[in-house]
RNA sequence: GUCCCCAUCGUCUAGAGGCCUAGGACGUCGCCCUUUCAAGGCGAUAACAAGGGUUCGAAUCCCUUUGGGGACGCCA
């Protein structure tokens, strides 16, 4: 493919990865980070990490830390970020809220944005109407031209409000994508985008545009799912009187059924890949092969080789399926090439180091008579795991479909947990005893079998805490699938 | 439903109009090596979504259809 990505000559290339700290460190984040980093370094530029924690309800410091740790584990380290600082900080959006408010105010004063007092009930109604009439936008702009006095009155009365961008009512907006060329969108397709939420925090759209500008970002390399909102961003840049950056939309990683990669159908947590024993360089190599190829079609190459040959012209745009079989093969190649001493070091850096061992050891201390018993009694902490057939998972006296529903409920409960420790796990699982109507013994045995593939194990909640959320989720999901009628 | 993106073996991909009778890799299946299992070697399997153009010539350029995906949140 012929692509020409414009590179500014008067200022350095600066790109960013902008994860939202709302859950597991995601494999898609690593994918996008990799291509940002390699593009930056190919062009002697800078790769910036910015935390997009403007969702006050869902963002957590633990998630932020997990993301930083995972990206570092992969070697995708950054030149500027919340932990190491840099000349354009702060790099955490929650610490920049004043900036967004000022910018929103500017747009209001210039007549490019307005206060909107629609309640969520009003919005629900509008969405319903829009759906009914097959309209392209949901919000009917009812507060767009409110008389100034009424706006003042409502503000003075302390009514909650959001700030919306005034979209042009006609015409088209052109988005230029570095890989796809020009995309023209009819402005009538665009909603008056919310810029400032009623909690005073910015939406992604505002924060992203303001920060990319202030942080001198030259190229926005992000996932394809952003294409539909890019015209809104372009219009926002225009409203500020700014030159937009170059947009490059990467293909989306896919599940086996071609849908956007998701935790329901794939392990997506980087934590899963680390604890299951993938080598970071193998994962990076694999991610690099998603949509991109070396000029000589090598399958196995390290980051520095990718860097040497990197060119967006070698991207293919079809969404690649995340094929774990091929990852396994690649990972095996990397392991085989390790010197024996290096392999030992890797094993110790993985779960055979004293840190993990000291979490496991207390759990079996009372259950082993000889040190040698440690190995057979702890295999499932390390990956020694034999998925059980459906018959083995269904509790006596229960139907398979009942077991399926109960285990699915447990899996979903686990998905939605944001902290992972013994007490929280116990709380979540006990709640499922109520919800499913299973006996404590039946439900917990089923979960135990799903998570450890053993009948006799150390206490369930402690074991799950040590095994870690990512692997528990994967094993629960697999067991649920085998029970699926 | 509306808008947008995408389209080569099951999967990841090579392919910039003649080098394509479409190449490589994973997977699968055979054979070899081997005390076992891996690994390795050799081989097989398998794709240009369809139809119209353009051209002396199309996997490659254009159009239509079909298929797949994404977006339509006070999530990012």
């Amino acid at each position: 493919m012929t692509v020409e990505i414009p590179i500014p000559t008067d200022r350095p290339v600066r790109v960013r990865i902008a994860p939202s700290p709302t859950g597991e460190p995601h494999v898609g984040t690593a994918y996008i980070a990799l291509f940002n980093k390699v593009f930056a370094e190919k062009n002697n530029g800078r790769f910036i990490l910015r935390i997009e924690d403007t969702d006050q309800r869902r963002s957590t410091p633990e998630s932020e830390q997990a993301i930083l740790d995972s990206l570092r584990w992969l070697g995708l380290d950054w030149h500027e970020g919340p932990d190491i600082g840099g000349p354009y900080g702060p790099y955490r959006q929650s610490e920049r809220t004043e900036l967004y408010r000022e910018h929103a105010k500017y747009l209001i004063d210039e007549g490019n944005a307005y206060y909107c007092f629609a309640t969520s009930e009003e919005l629900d109604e509008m969405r319903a109407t829009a759906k009914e009439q097959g309209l392209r936008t949901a919000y009917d702009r009812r507060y767009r031209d409110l008389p100034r006095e009424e706006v003042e009155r409502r503000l003075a009365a302390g009514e909650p409000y959001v700030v919306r961008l005034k979209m042009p009512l006609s015409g088209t907006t052109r988005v230029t994508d570095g890989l796809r060329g020009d995309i023209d969108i009819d402005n009538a397709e665009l909603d008056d985008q919310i810029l400032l939420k009623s909690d005073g925090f910015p939406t992604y759209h505002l924060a992203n545009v303001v920060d990319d500008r202030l942080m001198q970002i030259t190229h926005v390399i992000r996932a394809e799912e952003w294409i539909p909102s890019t015209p809104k961003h372009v219009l926002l840049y225009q409203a500020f009187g700014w030159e937009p950056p170059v947009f490059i939309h990467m293909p989306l990683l896919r599940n086996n059924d071609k849908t956007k990669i998701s935790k329901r159908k794939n392990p997506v947590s980087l934590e899963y890949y680390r604890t299951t024993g993938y080598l970071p360089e193998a994962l990076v190599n694999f991610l690099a092969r998603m949509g991109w190829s070396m000029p000589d079609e090598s399958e196995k190459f390290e980051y520095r080789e990718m860097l040497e040959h990197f060119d967006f012209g070698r991207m293919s745009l079809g969404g690649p399926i995340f094929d774990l079989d091929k990852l396994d093969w690649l990972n095996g190649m990397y392991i085989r090439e390790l010197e024996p001493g290096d392999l030992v070091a890797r094993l110790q850096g993985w779960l055979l180091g004293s840190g993990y061992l000291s979490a496991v050891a207390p759990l079996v201390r009372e259950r082993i008579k000889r040190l040698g018993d440690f190995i057979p009694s702890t295999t499932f902490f390390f990956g020694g795991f034999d998925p059980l057939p459906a018959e083995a998972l269904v509790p006596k006296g229960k139907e398979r479909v009942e077991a399926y529903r109960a285990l699915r409920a447990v899996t979903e409960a686990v998905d939605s947990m944001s902290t992972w420790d013994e007490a929280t796990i116990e709380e979540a699982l006990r709640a499922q005893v109520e919800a499913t109507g299973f006996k404590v013994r039946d439900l917990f045995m089923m979960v135990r079998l799903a998570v450890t593939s053993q009948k006799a194990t150390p206490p369930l909640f402690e074991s799950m805490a040590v095994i870690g959320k990512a692997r528990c989720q994967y094993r629960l999901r697999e067991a649920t699938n085998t029970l699926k009628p």
Side-chain angles (χ1 to χ4, degrees):
Chain A
M1 190 176 60
T2 314
V3 295
E4 204 68 43
I5 306 292
I7 305 294
T9 50
D10 57 335
R11 60 212 160 95
V13 164
R14 293 174 56 81
V15 301
R16 83 307 195 268
I17 178 76
S20 176
T22 52
E24 306 290 301
H26 201 278
V27 70
T29 304
Y31 176 57
I32 301 297
L34 170 63
F35 282 84
N36 269 282
K37 181 178 164 80
V38 76
F39 176 75
E41 294 185 345
K42 185 74 188 177
N43 292 287
N44 302 310
R46 305 266 280 181
F47 170 53
I48 289 108
L49 173 69
R50 182 173 73 219
I51 295 294
E52 308 233 330
D53 55 348
T54 54
D55 185 338
Q56 293 193 79
R57 203 171 49 83
R58 294 197 302 149
S59 298
T60 66
E62 293 76 24
S63 174
E64 177 184 319
Q65 192 56 49
I67 291 168
L68 266 53
D69 291 346
S70 292
L71 291 177
R72 277 231 169 77
W73 169 65
L74 287 171
L76 301 174
D77 45 305
W78 44 95
H79 302 110
E80 298 168 27
D83 56 334
I84 55 174
Y88 296 89
Y91 293 89
R92 202 176 277 117
Q93 291 185 329
S94 58
E95 295 166 15
R96 303 169 63 84
T97 52
E98 194 48 43
L99 243 25
Y100 311 123
R101 275 190 274 264
E102 285 165 16
H103 282 82
K105 185 73 169 58
Y106 169 82
L107 291 175
I108 293 168
D109 292 345
E110 295 290 306
N112 288 321
Y114 61 96
Y115 295 99
C116 169
F117 301 93
T119 62
S120 48
E121 292 73 39
E122 277 184 273
L123 287 169
D124 288 345
E125 261 171 55
M126 283 185 252
R127 261 189 284 275
T129 314
K131 195 167 185 182
E132 209 172 280
Q133 298 178 219
L135 254 36
R136 338 184 223 197
T137 57
Y139 176 64
D140 64 12
R141 301 186 157 125
R142 63 178 64 168
Y143 291 95
R144 177 162 160 144
D145 298 307
L146 221 53
R148 197 200 176 91
E149 308 75 55
E150 185 170 355
V151 172
E152 297 294 344
R153 187 183 59 72
R154 284 175 181 256
L155 289 177
E159 269 191 50
Y161 64 87
V162 301
V163 174
R164 286 183 186 266
L165 183 63
K166 263 189 199 172
M167 292 298 182
L169 301 174
S170 59
T172 60
T173 297
R174 170 160 293 182
V175 170
T176 302
D177 179 88
L179 301 176
R180 295 152 226 269
D182 291 339
I183 302 169
D184 293 316
I185 309 278
D186 200 335
N187 289 335
E189 301 288 339
L190 308 174
D191 254 332
D192 282 357
Q193 194 58 55
I194 292 178
L195 302 177
L196 227 45
K197 305 184 247 186
S198 54
D199 64 0
F201 268 51
T203 57
Y204 169 84
H205 308 285
L206 207 221
N208 160 265
V209 165
V210 168
D211 285 346
D212 284 346
R213 171 68 181 196
L214 298 181
M215 294 181 179
Q216 304 277 304
I217 299 301
T218 55
H219 302 259
V220 170
I221 303 166
R222 66 194 353 171
E224 190 180 10
E225 58 190 326
W226 290 107
I227 291 177
S229 49
T230 307
K232 298 169 183 174
H233 302 159
V234 169
L235 258 5
L236 237 190
Y237 278 99
Q238 276 175 24
F240 281 120
W242 297 337
E243 185 70 23
V246 176
F247 295 102
I248 293 165
H249 291 98
M250 298 287 293
L252 241 25
L253 264 21
R254 314 289 184 106
N255 298 313
N256 284 293
D257 62 3
K258 303 238 186 210
T259 53
K260 176 165 91 163
I261 196 166
S262 64
K263 65 181 171 193
R264 302 188 63 91
K265 298 174 182 171
N266 250 308
V268 293
S269 172
L270 294 171
E271 198 51 20
Y272 171 83
Y273 293 95
R274 189 183 67 80
T275 55
T276 308
Y278 291 97
L279 304 188
E281 59 269 48
L283 219 206
V284 165
N285 187 162
F286 179 67
L287 254 13
R289 290 288 291 113
M290 299 277 91
W292 191 78
S293 60
M294 289 280 270
D296 66 354
E297 284 199 79
S298 314
E299 295 287 347
K300 181 174 177 294
F301 52 88
E302 299 204 13
Y303 175 79
R304 63 185 157 71
E305 299 170 274
M306 179 192 193
L307 175 59
E308 187 181 337
H309 296 284
F310 187 73
D311 174 6
F312 266 121
R314 299 199 60 78
M315 276 312 290
S316 65
L317 265 18
I321 289 169
F322 201 83
D323 177 11
L324 291 169
D325 280 340
K326 193 151 182 178
L327 208 211
D328 281 341
W329 166 75
L330 245 191
N331 201 56
M333 295 236 289
Y334 277 89
I335 287 176
R336 262 169 260 138
E337 291 182 11
L338 253 21
E339 295 298 327
D342 291 338
L343 177 56
V344 171
R346 294 298 186 119
L347 288 166
Q348 289 172 335
W350 171 67
L351 301 180
L352 294 180
S354 56
Y356 190 72
L357 247 25
S358 54
V360 175
L363 297 183
V364 292
R365 188 180 53 172
E366 294 167 51
R367 284 163 242 264
I368 58 177
K369 297 191 173 62
R370 293 160 300 187
L371 295 179
D373 298 337
F374 179 81
I375 302 297
S377 63
T378 59
T379 48
F380 56 86
F381 284 106
F382 299 91
F385 180 82
D386 299 307
L388 296 168
E391 314 85 76
L393 290 163
V394 179
K396 278 212 172 56
K398 290 287 182 188
E399 293 297 322
R400 175 175 174 154
V401 63
E402 295 176 287
Y404 166 69
R405 291 202 187 107
L407 200 59
R408 189 180 58 185
V410 168
T411 307
E412 282 165 6
V414 164
D415 282 346
S416 62
M417 293 177 65
S418 53
T419 48
W420 191 255
D421 56 48
E422 189 191 334
T424 321
I425 295 165
E426 172 157 12
E427 194 184 329
L429 291 198
R430 290 210 183 273
Q432 289 312 308
V433 173
E434 302 269 325
T436 59
F438 270 49
K439 278 192 217 153
V440 171
R441 177 213 295 268
D442 287 344
L443 187 72
F444 289 3
M445 180 51 83
M446 185 165 63
V447 173
R448 180 189 313 278
L449 290 168
V451 167
T452 69
S453 78
Q454 307 281 318
K455 273 187 176 153
T457 71
L460 182 59
F461 314 126
E462 289 167 73
S463 298
M464 288 175 74
V466 170
I467 292 166
K469 184 181 174 188
R471 283 141 95 210
C472 286
Q473 280 176 295
Y474 180 75
R475 294 176 183 182
L476 285 167
R477 189 89 57 207
E478 291 291 296
T480 305
N481 285 341
T482 76
L483 282 175
K484 197 167 191 167

